[in-house]
Amino acid sequence: MSALAGKEEVESSTPAAAPSTSEPAASTEAASEAASEAGGEGDDAAAVEDEGSTAVFKPLVQLEEIDVVSGEEGEETVMVMRGKLYRYTETLLDKGTGKKQWIERGIGEIKLLKNTESQQQRFLMRQEKTLKIIVNTLIDPRVKMTQMASNDKTWVWSCYDFSDGEIVEEVFAFKCTSIEDAKAFKEAFDKAQGEMAKLLEGADGAPNPEADAAAEALGSLSTKA
């Protein structure tokens, strides 16, 4: 009886070890399923990221395009040159004393413009960034442009300027960036003077009351600095 009982004990204990050997397999299957689910969730997240936003937003305020008037319409650009402009005038502290000195007026591009109808030519210069007009004057065939004694890249001339909304007699100095530019600037000015002289004499155009009035004003212009 004891041997039989021992055999029964052995036989009954053998199946008891089976669950312990089957547990890793079950754990592996569970891990695989979890990994598959995790992988599926990752693919779904990636798909969402790849889709991006398809929403369309409309502005609350609709801005209409407007035409910007520069004042240069109807004019052709004969020359453009970058440089620095000076004005020979009194400072605020010396106002009314008659004591004048060279004061920087601005840096930017000076343009030589020719009106396509009247053929009149003028200098126009705007200050960089602010675009404030700092020179607006007709080319005067009677004024002599001279080179500044202390700087061979700077030219000095007198003119009637209209940059501040009223005609004022001014003395300007334009400093070019190089000697080559200074030479080209003077050549362009001389050529424009010659064409303006012919225009004011009536050789290249019909009588123009505005040109006659400009000629009379330019005739009384002082060129002394």
Side-chain angles (χ1 to χ4, degrees):
M1 290 293 291
S2 60
L4 181 60
K7 185 177 180 180
E8 290 178 353
E9 291 177 0
V10 172
E11 290 177 352
S12 63
S13 64
T14 301
S20 62
T21 57
S22 63
E23 285 179 2
S27 300
T28 303
E29 291 177 1
S32 299
E33 291 178 1
S36 299
E37 291 177 359
E41 292 177 359
D43 293 341
D44 293 341
V48 171
E49 290 181 358
D50 292 340
E51 285 180 2
S53 176
T54 58
V56 178
F57 298 95
K58 294 184 179 180
L60 297 177
V61 179
Q62 296 289 342
L63 299 179
E64 297 181 358
E65 293 185 1
I66 59 174
D67 295 330
V68 179
V69 179
S70 66
E72 301 174 29
E73 291 77 14
E75 292 179 297
E76 103 180 71
T77 302
V78 179
M79 179 209 68
V80 179
M81 189 169 294
R82 190 174 186 275
K84 184 180 294 186
L85 184 74
Y86 296 87
R87 180 172 61 170
Y88 192 68
T89 186
E90 300 174 347
T91 64
L92 292 176
L93 295 177
D94 296 328
K95 200 72 174 177
T97 64
K99 183 180 179 181
K100 297 183 179 181
Q101 58 181 299
W102 288 111
I103 299 177
E104 182 179 329
R105 187 151 170 83
I107 299 175
E109 290 184 340
I110 191 168
K111 296 181 181 180
L112 179 59
L113 303 173
K114 178 188 286 188
N115 190 289
T116 55
E117 292 185 5
S118 66
Q119 300 300 305
Q120 291 189 25
Q121 298 185 55
R122 63 168 176 153
F123 271 143
L124 180 69
M125 183 174 179
R126 298 177 186 272
Q127 194 175 45
E128 283 185 347
K129 296 182 180 179
T130 64
L131 299 181
K132 180 182 184 296
I133 296 177
I134 52 179
V135 165
N136 183 18
T137 178
L138 285 174
I139 299 299
D140 178 10
R142 301 165 183 79
V143 170
K144 184 178 180 181
M145 180 178 282
T146 58
Q147 194 173 53
M148 184 175 283
S150 59
N151 193 312
D152 56 3
K153 295 186 294 185
T154 305
W155 293 97
V156 180
W157 79 103
S158 298
C159 63
Y160 279 116
D161 181 60
F162 194 69
S163 59
D164 292 329
E166 58 180 359
I167 297 178
V168 180
E169 186 176 349
E170 298 282 9
V171 180
F172 290 122
F174 184 74
K175 183 179 180 180
C176 303
T177 57
S178 66
I179 295 177
E180 291 74 16
D181 280 356
K183 182 180 178 181
F185 178 79
K186 182 62 163 58
E187 289 176 351
F189 178 78
D190 290 344
K191 182 179 179 181
Q193 273 193 317
E195 293 176 355
M196 283 292 289
K198 292 179 180 179
L199 180 64
L200 295 176
E201 291 171 2
D204 288 345
N208 189 328
E210 293 183 359
D212 293 339
E216 291 178 4
L218 294 172
S220 61
L221 179 64
S222 172
T223 60
K224 294 181 181 181

